[in-house]
Amino acid sequence: MTRILIVEDEARIASFVEKGLRANGFATSVVGDGASALSSVRGGGFDLVVLDLGLPDRDGFSVLRQMRESGVDVPVVILTARDSVHDTVAGLEGGADDYMTKPFRFEELLARVRLRLRTSERAAELTVLRHGDLSLDLRTRRAGVGDRTVDLTAREFALLELFLRHPGQVLSREQILSHVWGYDFDPGSNIVDVYVRALRRKLGAERIETLRNMGYRLRD
Ligand code: CA
């Protein structure tokens, strides 16, 4: 379930936002000051934060800055009573993803929350390439086969990334050589075959198909 942290000191607004989000299937927690907001987000488990700027102990901007400094990268939608361009720009530059000016209709907030959740899901997906039960994490540079994690060398990683970006497509030895090793490689070299064999050993022989005189293909 998607969890949203609501940081709002005004009980009436907090309850309005919380009821609306719950009615739309989100799990919510409410905190009323900046210190509690920081300790909640640092504890993890939230997919999005709705952050009021006017908090009793500190400014919402400083909460946001400290969140980003401590590596918390969940989307943040700011609630602000201060209807000024200056605050909005400061909020977006300080790491907010969107903002709502009070008073607002719940539907408007909901639309922004949904949009930000979708955008952050897409960003997360882009760091992992998938094909069937095969996956490749572009950050950790590790492959996965079902639940099994597979360590790859730098060239194996580059080769698998190429296959995963072109699933089902035939890649010639020349294409693979130029993408993974660069053009200065002898086209007569059997290095591609050597690395394809290595990948098959690690991921399962059936995954990469050889097409005689054409090249290789990641099987569907
Ligand atoms: Ca407030």
Side-chain angles (χ1 to χ4, degrees), residues 7-10 13 52-56 102:
V7 186
E8 169 63 75
D9 60 314
E10 216 174 310
I13 298 177
D52 179 33
L53 282 188
L55 296 170
K102 294 175 185 173

